Amino acid sequence: MKRIGMLTSGGDCQSLNASMRGVAKTLYKNLKDVEIIGFNEGYKGLIYGNYRIMSPSDFSGILTQGGTILGTSRQPFKQMRVPDENGLDKVEAMKDTYKKLRLECLVILGGNGTHKTANLLREEGLNVVTLPKTIDNDIWGTDMTFGFQSAVDIATEAIDCIHTTAASHSRVFIVEVMGHKVGWMTLYAGIAGGADVILIPEIPYDIDSVVKAIAKRTKQGKRFSILAVAEGAISKEEAKLSKKELKKRRLDMPYPSVSYEIGDAISKKTGQEIRVTIPGHTQRGGSPDSYDRVISSRFGAAAANLILNKEYGYMVGMKNGDIVKVPLEEVAGKLKVVEPDSSIIKEAKLLGISFGD
Ligand code: F6P
């Protein structure tokens, strides 16, 4: 009998269940004797041996269900080599659980941090296959991650709703979109929602350029402006700071988030009324959209196929519409960012969208 471990780690997203279903359906269909062990709350379950034996019915009816049936948690990669409060070596504990349960392989669904730990487990000799999960779409080696499209839909809807109220009140509205390190979601939702200004971490902004873009619209007789701002947007001055200095600046700032700081600066410079809307974790909630259901099912089938072929140490990814396998050592530790001179940014600028640069 083959025993396959499965876990979801890091922030949740809409299509985790659809992805696990894809893996499970393919395994149950193509292996005579297979048992799936589900670890509760990500790597925590693997570390502390907290698991349950899954049955095919657990994976039934979950294609459209958001969240994760296994639960998840954030277990920072940096802490993996640091013993827990009882002195437990977490990496050794994970290896022990794997060995005790006589697992053939671990299927790990997660984002960037999760992939660093998955690669560490591979280096430690475990068989690992991963699936690219994150609403941020920032995993290196894949054009698309599952969760991204569904989250973009929610952020877009937030901007759509703001449009009517912004037009009625003649105000400047800021919609803050998730994404601390990368701006993929803000870029896509901003374009889809018709934002006038898009601020992302990859393109540091100059507040005077942002104000200029708003003033230009006012001059054209437009009564409102909408800004899509990534939660990790940074100014040109902040871009000069070290990571540590920026972190300190953010902790010290008297605003709940960057959008409020930007809003305050615009208000002081223009006298215009500003409102900030933060959809926050609603962006990770609810059902996956049809696009995510399709790619999750494809990723799941492809990941299971790697197991059927005993091909371990890979993440399944997507390149030009096809599913590919990417070696974990190539994925771990890299970030897929929005390139400031990429075609999508050029087209957005042609449309008249300001990036505040
Ligand atoms: O990684 C996904 C993500 O939603 C990011 O976009 C966001 O910055 C972060 O997680 C929020 O993390 P948490 O759920 O731990 O507050």
Side-chain angles (χ1 to χ4, degrees):
M1 189 190 49
K2 267 200 165 87
R3 283 186 136 183
I4 313 291
M6 192 180 275
L7 64 89
T8 56
S9 164
D12 74 337
C13 74
Q14 291 89 342
S15 213
L16 277 162
N17 288 329
S19 300
M20 287 192 278
R21 171 185 173 271
V23 176
K25 257 178 111 70
T26 310
L27 288 178
Y28 289 135
K29 191 169 183 332
N30 293 284
L31 281 177
K32 256 206 190 113
D33 210 5
V34 64
E35 191 168 71
I36 299 178
I37 307 280
F39 291 98
N40 299 324
E41 295 185 24
Y43 288 118
K44 221 195 232 178
L46 187 60
I47 296 169
Y48 298 105
N50 183 2
Y51 62 87
R52 62 196 142 114
I53 297 168
M54 310 295 283
S55 69
S57 64
D58 289 318
F59 296 99
S60 193
I62 62 168
L63 176 64
T64 60
Q65 195 182 313
T68 159
I69 56 168
L70 294 180
T72 187
S73 64
R74 290 195 187 276
Q75 299 291 316
F77 173 71
K78 270 195 252 168
Q79 297 295 318
M80 279 299 177
R81 291 281 185 197
V82 179
D84 78 355
E85 59 279 13
N86 298 314
L88 181 80
D89 182 327
K90 295 173 202 149
V91 177
E92 283 309 313
M94 288 193 280
K95 285 162 64 182
D96 277 356
T97 307
Y98 181 96
K99 279 178 198 151
K100 263 187 214 149
L101 289 170
R102 293 207 198 88
L103 297 181
E104 161 75 20
C105 169
L106 263 178
V107 177
I108 299 174
L109 297 89
N112 275 308
T114 299
H115 274 85
K116 288 192 216 168
T117 301
N119 187 46
L120 184 150
L121 293 176
R122 178 196 65 81
E123 287 168 348
E124 292 287 330
L126 308 194
N127 294 333
V128 178
V129 166
T130 69
L131 286 84
K133 168 245 64 165
T134 170
I135 63 163
D136 294 334
N137 194 29
D138 59 354
I139 299 182
W140 191 92
T142 183
D143 292 342
M144 197 49 70
T145 59
F146 65 82
F148 173 68
Q149 204 62 60
S150 306
V152 166
D153 287 350
I154 295 173
T156 303
E157 170 115 31
I159 300 175
D160 287 350
C161 291
I162 288 300
H163 248 112
T164 54
T165 177
S168 316
H169 283 281
S170 187
R171 285 169 174 164
V172 172
F173 267 89
I174 298 179
V175 179
E176 186 174 291
V177 180
M178 271 189 166
H180 268 303
K181 292 182 183 155
V182 300
W184 290 108
M185 271 190 60
T186 312
L187 178 61
Y188 272 67
I191 294 174
D196 308 298
V197 177
I198 295 177
L199 304 182
I200 59 174
E202 294 91 333
I203 306 180
Y205 67 85
D206 172 359
I207 196 69
D208 289 323
S209 298
V210 175
V211 166
K212 224 162 131 189
I214 296 169
K216 198 171 157 198
R217 278 181 59 80
T218 312
K219 224 172 164 187
Q220 288 166 348
K222 310 272 168 111
R223 298 179 57 237
F224 69 94
S225 291
I226 294 181
L227 282 69
V229 174
E231 56 184 350
I234 55 167
S235 66
K236 284 191 190 295
E237 294 77 48
E238 286 173 327
K240 290 180 196 146
L241 302 176
S242 68
K243 230 171 143 182
K244 206 171 154 193
E245 287 168 333
L246 180 62
K247 202 171 168 192
K248 185 175 177 332
R249 188 180 181 282
R250 285 284 149 84
L251 282 174
D252 293 347
M253 87 181 168
Y255 301 97
S257 75
V258 290
S259 293
Y260 286 92
E261 185 180 32
I262 293 169
D264 201 23
I266 297 171
S267 162
K268 280 181 183 139
K269 281 178 186 275
T270 65
Q272 272 183 283
E273 243 190 297
I274 315 281
R275 291 291 185 275
V276 176
T277 298
I278 305 183
H281 285 77
T282 64
Q283 291 163 99
R284 295 209 314 238
S287 302
D289 68 4
S290 55
Y291 179 85
D292 271 336
R293 293 178 204 179
V294 173
I295 65 165
S296 282
S297 302
R298 291 181 67 192
F299 281 145
N305 200 37
L306 288 178
I307 298 170
L308 297 178
N309 295 330
K310 292 182 179 288
E311 291 186 87
Y312 301 120
Y314 291 103
M315 174 189 83
V316 289
M318 183 177 279
K319 280 277 161 208
N320 304 319
D322 288 329
I323 302 290
V324 293
K325 55 177 196 211
V326 193
L328 276 178
E329 65 262 42
E330 287 179 21
V331 177
K334 289 187 204 145
L335 201 63
K336 186 183 72 189
V337 299
V338 177
E339 295 298 343
D341 59 355
S342 58
S343 153
I344 187 167
I345 297 290
K346 284 182 190 149
E347 287 130 19
K349 285 185 174 173
L350 282 170
L351 287 167
I353 297 172
S354 164
F355 285 83
D357 52 342

